[in-house]
Amino acid sequence: MITIGVYDSGIGGISILNVLREYVLEKLPDQQVRYVYLCDNLHYPYGTKRSEDLVSFVCETVRKMLDLYKLDILVIACNTASTVVLPYLRNMFKLPIVGVVPAIKPACARSKTKHVCLIATQATITRASLEELIQLYGNGCQILRIGSSLLVDIAERKFRSYPVDDSLIEQEIKPIFSDPLIDTVILGCTHFVHLKGEITRILSKHPCKDIRVIDSSEGVSAHCLDLIKKIVVPKHSCDNSKDECGSSIKESDFYIYNQDHKDNIFVFTKKDDMSMKLISSHLDNKCCVSFLK
Ligand code: DGL
């Protein structure tokens, strides 16, 4: 059994978790994996926070997560955090840490017109590490950057079953329409993957008929798969909450959402019933939920 932690400020990282689960199931069907999803809705949203504050509370929250769970791999399923916090985390903790950064490399390799658009949080589009990524993998492309925190909120609201107003999204991504040559759009925030259907529908009105919307889920999953293959794990399986998995989880730490259907997914979130139930239902009720204090 190996344990993978997936971390985001809210529900964005569930887009990564779901692709990762499917990927591992398909490529390594015999590998037992337990997932711990950390939804840091205590500090949400990240996109409007100062870098120094992000570094401080993300490192602290990861420490709490590692106190409770013995993770083999940690995925920071948040572009906003990854683009600033990764070096600090890697310095503080010994386990392999996978970050999520905007898919500049595949997007710029794919673009025929060399006109690309990145939609991310305001924090991500202004980071020095983004410029480094573009220097390395920009492939001579012109990259239009759109920063939005409203889209993060819309994704959270959609998750809570509020209706989504396409015109609000269209308003946010309107600058794309001023460049008819854009043929590749990068969703550089894991929350936006939950709005991929709406964004693709809006982009069908764009003059470029071959426009494609891409994100980082596949790349991150492939990276995790390589790491899983390198981890030497004991052959025996074990129960989710037993010490033999090296975790300090006690049943009392948990709100067992649906004991009958728990399936190796633990969720670590703020103690509010709404978040717990919602996240659980988006994971097909296959999870246990514990509290972030
Ligand atoms: N999901 C996060 C990302 O990928 C950020 C959302 C937020 O602002 O909290 O950037």
Side-chain angles (χ1 to χ4, degrees), residues 70-97:
K70 185 190 171 300
L71 303 181
D72 297 292
I73 299 170
L74 172 63
V75 182
I76 302 295
C78 172
N79 295 260
T80 310
S82 295
T83 46
V84 68
V85 184
L86 279 183
Y88 297 89
L89 288 175
R90 288 185 176 137
N91 209 14
M92 279 176 80
F93 306 105
K94 288 284 159 279
L95 79 168
I97 302 178

Side-chain angles (χ1 to χ4, degrees), residues 118-125 145-151 172 192:
L118 166 66
I119 318 175
T121 61
Q122 195 60 40
T124 299
I125 64 160
R145 299 149 174 86
I146 299 177
S148 171
S149 47
L150 180 64
L151 291 182
E172 284 295 281
F192 301 170

Side-chain angles (χ1 to χ4, degrees), residues 49-67:
K49 301 286 186 304
R50 294 181 330 149
S51 298
E52 323 64 296
D53 296 335
L54 260 184
V55 169
S56 138
F57 63 69
V58 172
C59 290
E60 176 58 15
T61 311
V62 167
R63 194 191 52 71
K64 285 185 193 166
M65 189 180 191
L66 290 169
D67 281 350

Side-chain angles (χ1 to χ4, degrees), residues 50-258:
R50 294 181 330 149
S51 298
E52 323 64 296
D53 296 335
L54 260 184
V55 169
S56 138
F57 63 69
V58 172
C59 290
E60 176 58 15
T61 311
V62 167
R63 194 191 52 71
K64 285 185 193 166
M65 189 180 191
L66 290 169
D67 281 350
L68 258 188
Y69 306 92
K70 185 190 171 300
L71 303 181
D72 297 292
I73 299 170
L74 172 63
V75 182
I76 302 295
C78 172
N79 295 260
T80 310
S82 295
T83 46
V84 68
V85 184
L86 279 183
Y88 297 89
L89 288 175
R90 288 185 176 137
N91 209 14
M92 279 176 80
F93 306 105
K94 288 284 159 279
L95 79 168
I97 302 178
V98 179
V100 176
V101 293
I104 298 287
K105 188 179 178 182
C108 294
R110 174 208 182 254
S111 174
K112 293 197 185 86
T113 58
K114 293 201 178 288
H115 283 236
V116 169
C117 174
L118 166 66
I119 318 175
T121 61
Q122 195 60 40
T124 299
I125 64 160
T126 50
R127 291 265 150 76
S129 56
L130 176 70
E131 292 315 314
E132 285 161 23
L133 210 58
I134 293 173
Q135 287 286 325
L136 277 173
Y137 303 115
N139 197 25
C141 290
Q142 193 169 310
I143 303 176
L144 171 71
R145 299 149 174 86
I146 299 177
S148 171
S149 47
L150 180 64
L151 291 182
V152 179
D153 281 339
I154 295 176
E156 287 278 336
R157 286 174 59 80
K158 178 179 178 187
F159 204 79
R160 285 160 178 72
S161 302
Y162 288 100
V164 177
D165 181 350
D166 274 14
S167 66
L168 280 181
I169 301 177
E170 188 163 346
Q171 192 59 30
E172 284 295 281
I173 65 171
K174 202 168 62 184
I176 297 182
F177 289 90
S178 61
D179 182 351
L181 291 179
I182 288 173
D183 67 353
T184 310
V185 174
I186 306 164
L187 301 181
C189 168
T190 50
H191 275 77
F192 301 170
V193 180
H194 295 294
L195 301 174
K196 194 168 181 171
E198 291 80 356
I199 292 173
T200 306
R201 189 163 59 232
I202 292 163
L203 290 176
S204 64
K205 295 187 246 166
H206 191 273
C208 174
K209 286 297 156 222
D210 183 29
I211 204 157
R212 199 160 137 213
V213 181
I214 65 169
D215 63 75
S216 309
S217 331
E218 289 276 334
V220 170
S221 302
H223 188 175
C224 286
L225 201 78
D226 287 344
L227 288 171
I228 294 171
K229 287 180 190 157
K230 283 184 200 145
I231 293 172
V232 183
V233 282
K235 283 271 177 288
H236 71 277
S237 65
C238 69
D239 183 86
N240 289 331
S241 54
K242 293 283 164 58
D243 281 341
E244 57 190 293
C245 286
S247 110
S248 58
I249 304 163
K250 285 179 234 66
E251 202 80 324
S252 58
D253 290 329
F254 284 92
Y255 171 87
I256 307 288
Y257 180 67
N258 189 339

